Amino acid sequence: MFSENQLKALSYNLDDSRVKSRDKAGMSFKYLETYDVINVANTIFNYMWDYTITRLEEVARETNQNGNHVITYSAIVKVKIYDAQRNFIEREDTGVGTGTARTVGDAIDNASKSAVSDSLKRSLRSFGGQFGNDLYSKTPTTNYSQQQAPQIAQQQSYQQPPQYNQPPNNQQTPPVQQSHNSNNQGIYSLQEYASILNLGLQILEQGENLVIVGDRSIIFNSKDTIKACSFRWNNETKSWIKPKYQQQAA
């Protein structure tokens, strides 16, 4: 379905100049901006793609210690990629977004847009490193080449493709782990927990679990947000925990 040029573009390593970082609650995580991901999709797929919001709903509503409204939305976005004959393949994934604002309307607006953006990027990442899939790995690929990749053939002369980094000669691109894979080797990404980090809480590793730490009053008032990220209350440790690795069902 994909042309040779498209397959080559999808195989290139992610240009680290496109990667942004955000510090939150003492932790730093990397991400791609939504406009950048859309621009790359337009270039590689020659504008022959679209997406549909198949679900958008509020999952939590709280008020933080500053009196701001904190609202969390969950979204499901379906992406379709077409070829010249209008054959298509599709991908679908979920996303979560949190909006914090003085008014309910602004918080809803921010949360819903963030959830759709997160879901869109997670749907596109199944097409590989150009859409940030490496950023979801616990050990992201850092061996990027400085060699510029060939430009993608364009049907429109006005299109300006982004710069791609090609894998070094005679070197295979390291495999990218997928979230919650088999053999008890699941991984996780801080992007998945942006709704928790935005509350000023932290997520730490303790043994085989992830544990939420921070202001106890915020944790108490944010139970719905925490549950939406699959954390569960542990009566023995008096904390919210989640296994780092999810064993595949037999």
Side-chain angles (χ1 to χ4, degrees), residues 149-176:
Q151 291 187 343
I152 305 170
Q154 302 294 331
Q155 294 183 8
Q156 293 91 352
S157 60
Y158 58 82
Q159 290 178 327
Q160 295 296 325
Q163 301 298 315
Y164 299 105
N165 280 342
Q166 191 172 13
N169 294 333
N170 303 321
Q171 181 173 333
Q172 297 293 327
T173 302
V176 178

Side-chain angles (χ1 to χ4, degrees), residues 11 16 33 51 53 62-63 68 91 138 149 154:
S11 72
D16 56 4
E33 296 189 89
Y51 69 90
I53 303 170
E62 303 155 354
T63 303
N68 292 323
R91 297 289 188 270
K138 211 172 184 181
Q154 302 294 331

Side-chain angles (χ1 to χ4, degrees), residues 7-176:
L7 292 173
K8 286 181 179 179
L10 291 171
S11 72
Y12 298 144
N13 286 345
L14 177 64
D15 183 347
D16 56 4
S17 68
R18 295 173 51 206
V19 179
K20 309 299 180 182
S21 62
R22 178 184 295 123
D23 294 327
K24 192 69 177 181
M27 290 184 286
S28 178
F29 58 97
K30 297 180 179 180
Y31 67 98
L32 297 180
E33 296 189 89
T34 305
Y35 83 89
D36 173 77
V37 169
I38 291 175
N39 285 342
V40 172
N42 286 341
T43 300
I44 294 179
F45 304 131
N46 200 29
Y47 293 93
M48 298 180 64
W49 72 285
D50 59 34
Y51 69 90
T52 304
I53 303 170
T54 59
R55 190 189 75 187
L56 181 62
E57 61 183 12
E58 182 179 316
V59 295
R61 181 179 295 212
E62 303 155 354
T63 303
N64 64 18
Q65 70 273 22
N66 296 321
N68 292 323
H69 298 280
V70 182
I71 297 177
T72 302
Y73 265 71
S74 174
I76 296 178
V77 167
K78 179 182 293 184
V79 172
K80 288 186 178 180
I81 312 295
Y82 300 90
D83 63 14
Q85 289 74 43
R86 299 301 291 177
N87 300 315
F88 67 87
I89 58 175
E90 61 183 30
R91 297 289 188 270
E92 187 177 69
D93 210 330
T94 61
V96 175
T98 298
T100 302
R102 296 298 298 175
T103 66
V104 172
D106 286 342
I108 290 176
D109 183 56
N110 294 336
S112 58
K113 290 178 180 177
S114 177
V116 170
S117 294
D118 184 44
S119 182
L120 174 62
K121 290 190 289 185
R122 290 176 65 85
S123 296
L124 284 168
R125 77 184 178 98
S126 64
F127 294 103
Q130 289 304 316
F131 297 99
N133 193 49
D134 293 355
L135 303 181
Y136 290 80
S137 173
K138 211 172 184 181
T139 307
T141 302
T142 56
N143 189 15
Y144 299 140
S145 169
Q146 297 302 316
Q147 180 179 358
Q148 180 178 331
Q151 291 187 343
I152 305 170
Q154 302 294 331
Q155 294 183 8
Q156 293 91 352
S157 60
Y158 58 82
Q159 290 178 327
Q160 295 296 325
Q163 301 298 315
Y164 299 105
N165 280 342
Q166 191 172 13
N169 294 333
N170 303 321
Q171 181 173 333
Q172 297 293 327
T173 302
V176 178

